[in-house]
């Protein structure tokens, strides 16, 4: 699981776009919080998520430094539902 927090929605869109284009990750969601902070969440293999977060951080940097970045290599199962829902396997159908 990888997260980038930016100040402003445009920087978050740039980060999410770069993350999805750079590595094989799945965009899970974004969340807007107070003070115009926007957090983008992706999931995938650890190496792919690390590459995506690095690329997203660089892209968001064009609009000001990212507020925070985080890669969680093996998230605790209790985090799955509150953070991004259950992990879907290749055999699961997505609507």
């Amino acid at each position: 699981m990888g997260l980038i927090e930016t100040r402003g929605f445009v920087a978050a869109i740039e980060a999410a776009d770069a993350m999805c284009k750079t590595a094989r990750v799945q965009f899970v969601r974004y969340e807007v919080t107070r003070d115009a902070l926007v957090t983008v969440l992706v999931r995938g293999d650890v190496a792919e998520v690390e590459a995506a977060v690095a690329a997203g951080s660089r892209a968001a940097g064009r609009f000001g430094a990212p507020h925070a970045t985080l890669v969680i290599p093996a998230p605790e199962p209790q985090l799955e539902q509150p953070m991004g829902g259950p992990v879907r396997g290749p055999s699961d159908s997505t609507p």
Side-chain angles (χ1 to χ4, degrees):
M1 182 181 305
L3 300 101
I4 295 180
E5 185 175 60
T6 65
R7 185 168 306 281
F9 194 70
V10 173
I13 295 297
E14 280 290 318
D17 184 54
M19 292 167 83
C20 292
K21 287 179 178 175
T22 300
R24 296 183 64 127
V25 294
Q26 177 186 11
F27 174 80
V28 177
R29 64 184 241 168
Y30 73 92
E31 185 172 332
V32 181
T33 58
R34 65 186 175 123
D35 298 330
L37 295 177
V38 182
T39 303
V40 177
L41 174 70
V42 297
R43 119 177 23 250
D45 293 334
V46 176
E48 297 288 335
V49 170
E50 287 175 345
V53 169
S57 181
R58 284 191 304 274
R62 294 194 307 243
F63 297 92
H67 194 262
T69 62
L70 178 66
V71 173
I72 303 173
E76 179 68 28
Q78 294 178 22
L79 286 176
E80 294 299 332
Q81 189 61 37
M83 293 298 292
V87 176
R88 295 187 176 173
S91 63
D92 294 339
S93 62
T94 56

